[in-house]
Structure formats: structure tokens, C-alpha cells
């Protein structure tokens, strides 16, 4: 298996029933495994994740975004993924940019082990 064959998109989510579905629909054409960590939501976040084909892990109570990311990273490391991409459940990160980021990451690997995409709020 190649260095970039196992890619997982990690989305921490809290009460994201309105925004998670559209984010997951934008990810579907990329054909990448997607993991949603529901951080104790009291709405339909879990259902949105499941009905859009995402793997789901759940916190029984809200522990915060950092804890949701830790839970997701632990799971992903156990599954031997080579690349993890994090997105927010509110849609502020555009999944259509993922192929571009992967192209950069592949070009400079093994120089980089971490690539961060920054938002340009001036757009």
C-alpha cells in the first residue's frame, strides 16, 4: 500500500445538525473515509453523520473540540491511516480544497509531516 492510500477526514461536531449534512455531502465525491466525533450533541448530529455515510464516535457529554479531536486521532491511529485531514462541522472549511492540499503534501513529503491550511478572512 502506498504512503497516501489510507486517508481519513476527521470532523469534530457539537450540535451541528444544520451544517454537518452539507459538509458531508461535499466530501462524498472525494471517496475518502470520514469520521465524525459527536461531542455530546443534544440535536440530530449523530443522525446526520450516519445518514451521510460517516463513521461515528460519540462522547456522552460535551468535552470540547480538543477532546473530540483526540478521540478521533486515537481511533484513526489504531486503523493505520497514513493521512488525517480535519474539517469543522460548520462548513467553514471547503472540502473541495482537499485535493489541492493533498497535492502539496505529497509533493513535499517527507519534508513535512504536518500541513496546515489557513483561512483567508480577507476574501
Amino acid at each position: 500500500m502506498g504512503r497516501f492510500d489510507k486517508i481519513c477526514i476527521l470532523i469534530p461536531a457539537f450540535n451541528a445538525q444544520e451544517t454537518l449534512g452539507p459538509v458531508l455531502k461535499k466530501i462524498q465525491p472525494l471517496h475518502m473515509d470520514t469520521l465524525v466525533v459527536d461531542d455530546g450533541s443534544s440535536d440530530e448530529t449523530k443522525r446526520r453523520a450516519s445518514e451521510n455515510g460517516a463513521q461515528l464516535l460519540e462522547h456522552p457529554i460535551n468535552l470540547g473540540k480538543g477532546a473530540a479531536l483526540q478521540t478521533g486521532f486515537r481511533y484513526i491511529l489504531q486503523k493505520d491511516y497514513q493521512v488525517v485531514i480535519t474539517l469543522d462541522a460548520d462548513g467553514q472549511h471547503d472540502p473541495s480544497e482537499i485535493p489541492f492540499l493533498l497535492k502539496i503534501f505529497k509533493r513535499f513529503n517527507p519534508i513535512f509531516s504536518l500541513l496546515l491550511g489557513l483561512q483567508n478572512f480577507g476574501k
Side-chain angles (χ1 to χ4, degrees):
M1 188 174 288
R3 177 116 166 95
F4 299 103
D5 290 341
K6 283 191 76 177
I7 299 170
C8 187
I9 298 171
L10 169 58
I11 304 174
F14 177 68
N15 289 339
Q17 71 180 13
E18 299 299 323
T19 56
L20 182 60
V23 169
L24 293 171
K25 284 183 186 342
K26 289 179 181 177
I27 292 169
Q28 287 172 350
L30 301 174
H31 304 287
M32 293 180 184
D33 293 346
T34 303
L35 174 66
V36 172
V37 179
D38 180 4
D39 191 32
S41 296
S42 59
D43 65 0
E44 297 293 320
T45 296
K46 290 181 268 302
R47 188 165 69 94
R48 296 291 186 270
S50 297
E51 69 190 13
N52 284 285
Q55 299 172 72
L56 178 65
L57 298 178
E58 299 177 50
H59 288 168
I61 60 171
N62 181 255
L63 299 173
K65 183 178 180 179
L69 286 169
Q70 285 180 334
T71 297
F73 283 128
R74 249 186 255 114
Y75 175 87
I76 288 166
L77 287 170
Q78 291 173 352
K79 299 296 180 184
D80 294 322
Y81 285 96
Q82 290 100 9
V83 177
V84 180
I85 297 166
T86 63
L87 296 178
D88 284 350
D90 63 5
Q92 71 175 324
H93 303 130
D94 184 357
S96 71
E97 306 243 352
I98 290 173
F100 175 72
L101 290 172
L102 283 174
K103 182 179 175 182
I104 292 170
F105 189 67
K106 289 176 184 180
R107 181 174 172 208
F108 290 103
N109 189 276
I111 296 169
F112 296 145
S113 343
L114 177 66
L115 179 67
L116 299 174
L118 301 176
Q119 292 178 319
N120 182 353
F121 292 104
K123 276 186 173 182

